[in-house]
Amino acid sequence: PLFLGRLTEMNRRWNLVGHDYVHNVLLSTPPQSLLVAKKDVQIFSLWYYHHVVKLRPDIHLIPQGLAHSPWYQNSSRRFGSSLNLSRLSDLNGWKQLHADNLQPIYATIDVDLHPEIEVGTPRGMVLPLFGQGPNETDPNSGKGLDLWHFMLSRGDWRAERRPDFSLPILLATMP
């Protein structure tokens, strides 16, 4: 493929979609929040920037499909998390997560939510859950702040120009 003119398509140097996705999601998430994500590409990208790059250590990332697993809960505790996690596939699990933890809960767009969960007005690239959202008394809550002016979208985002596994998945969750 390299000799047939596809070198520019295969060069990932300026494929910044993963970086921009994580930056935009973390920018959208208020301080001290819980952030639930579901799909592997999204959660692994967020984990890398959260744990390795140390971006936004104030938030807690929760993978929807792993939250109920004993091995994941034990691993989270080993790394200092005091969260009470539950199965996030039904309404009771979501309600338990909300009741057991004091932090506001936000979700990425890829998360499967029960229809009875109250979803607030999107805050950039995350959805506030359980009536969370802009707080009129908190100047840092994002009320009246148009986060889209701060969002990154660099490089060529056309999936047909970048034949790889993760790009179409990330693009599906971008506005």
Side-chain angles (χ1 to χ4, degrees), residues 19-144:
H19 170 80
D20 292 350
Y21 171 81
V22 169
H23 172 85
N24 294 340
V25 167
L26 295 179
L27 174 70
S28 301
T29 306
Q32 308 301 322
S33 297
L34 305 180
L35 177 61
V36 182
K38 180 181 179 184
K39 295 183 180 170
D40 287 351
V41 172
Q42 287 84 339
I43 195 68
F44 290 137
S45 299
L46 286 163
W47 270 342
Y48 173 77
Y49 281 92
H50 186 72
H51 293 294
V52 177
V53 180
K54 305 290 186 202
L55 193 60
R56 293 298 307 274
D58 61 302
I59 64 170
H60 295 279
L61 295 173
I62 302 173
Q64 184 177 17
L66 299 177
H68 70 285
S69 302
W71 69 265
Y72 179 76
Q73 292 178 2
N74 291 336
S75 175
S76 293
R77 279 189 220 99
R78 263 197 326 264
F79 286 103
S81 175
S82 60
L83 295 178
N84 293 317
L85 301 174
S86 57
R87 180 181 296 273
L88 300 177
S89 59
D90 60 19
L91 182 60
N92 290 334
W94 282 100
K95 284 183 175 181
Q96 183 178 348
L97 178 71
H98 180 59
D100 290 349
N101 300 285
L102 299 175
Q103 298 96 325
I105 302 172
Y106 288 79
T108 56
I109 298 169
D110 61 314
V111 170
D112 292 329
L113 296 171
H114 190 277
E116 292 182 37
I117 294 175
E118 182 184 354
V119 178
T121 303
R123 177 183 159 82
M125 292 188 58
V126 296
L127 304 170
L129 306 181
F130 298 103
Q132 299 297 325
N135 179 345
E136 294 182 23
T137 62
D138 180 4
N140 299 317
S141 71
K143 182 168 180 58

